[in-house]
Amino acid sequence: MERQIKLIWDFRGPDALKTAEHQEIHLKEFIVIEQLPISISGFEQINEFHSIAFIVVNDELMRKVRDVLKPHRGELYTDIA
C-alpha cells in the first residue's frame, strides 16, 4: 500500500472552526478542478480556539499539491477504522 500524507491547514482564534470548514470547501473545489484522485478531506476542532482542515494525498501527489496549496504542515496518515 502506498504511503499517504495528511496535509493540514491550522486555524486559530474564535472563528477557527468556521474558517476550517470553509477551507475544506475550497480544498474540495481544487480536487474537482484538478481532477485529482483524492477522496479523503475534512475539518476538525482541536479545541475551542484551534481547528484544522485537511486532505489526504498519496505520496506521489504530495509535492505537487503541497507546492500549489501551501499547507501549514503534514503528517503520515493511517486509517484507524
Side-chain angles (χ1 to χ4, degrees), residues 11-51:
F11 301 98
R12 298 182 190 280
D15 296 325
L17 181 58
K18 289 232 180 254
T19 306
E21 185 176 359
H22 187 77
Q23 175 71 5
E24 186 199 12
I25 292 168
H26 290 298
L27 294 171
K28 286 181 174 181
E29 289 171 346
F30 177 79
I31 292 166
V32 170
I33 290 167
E34 296 296 320
Q35 299 177 349
L36 297 173
I38 298 172
S39 60
I40 302 172
S41 68
F43 63 94
E44 23 180 289
Q45 186 173 34
I46 307 302
N47 63 45
E48 185 180 356
F49 295 104
H50 181 204
S51 294

Side-chain angles (χ1 to χ4, degrees), residues 43-78:
F43 63 94
E44 23 180 289
Q45 186 173 34
I46 307 302
N47 63 45
E48 185 180 356
F49 295 104
H50 181 204
S51 294
I52 64 169
F54 65 89
I55 58 175
V56 176
V57 300
N58 288 334
D59 201 21
E60 67 185 42
L61 278 177
M62 190 276 297
R63 283 187 177 91
K64 174 186 175 184
V65 174
R66 178 199 66 195
D67 291 348
V68 172
L69 296 180
K70 304 198 182 334
H72 298 132
R73 59 194 172 98
E75 60 186 41
L76 286 177
Y77 175 77
T78 53

